[in-house]
Amino acid sequence: MLLYAFEAVIIGGMGSFWGTFAGGIALGIAQQIGFYFDPGWGIWLGHVLFLGRADREAAGLLPQNRLMLY
């Protein structure tokens, strides 16, 4: 359970309550879609969403600060 909370925070953005909320919703939806196809895919699809989002943008969905790193 703690791993899912960590993934929701990272997906949504550290320090952003609404980002974490949106990350948790996105993670739950991804897992439910995976469980619809096969029981083993639910957790796997949630981890894939986490890794894909962390790979694309480390700030998350709704970051607290919008820093431009060049």
Side-chain angles (χ1 to χ4, degrees), residues 7-54:
E7 289 177 346
V9 169
I10 297 301
I11 290 170
M14 301 255 322
S16 171
F17 171 76
W18 293 110
T20 301
F21 182 74
I25 296 294
L27 186 63
I29 290 172
Q31 288 180 346
Q32 285 301 316
I33 290 171
F35 283 130
Y36 176 75
F37 292 111
D38 187 87
W41 285 20
I43 296 172
W44 179 81
L45 197 59
H47 293 315
V48 168
L49 174 72
F50 164 69
L51 292 174
R53 187 64 196 164

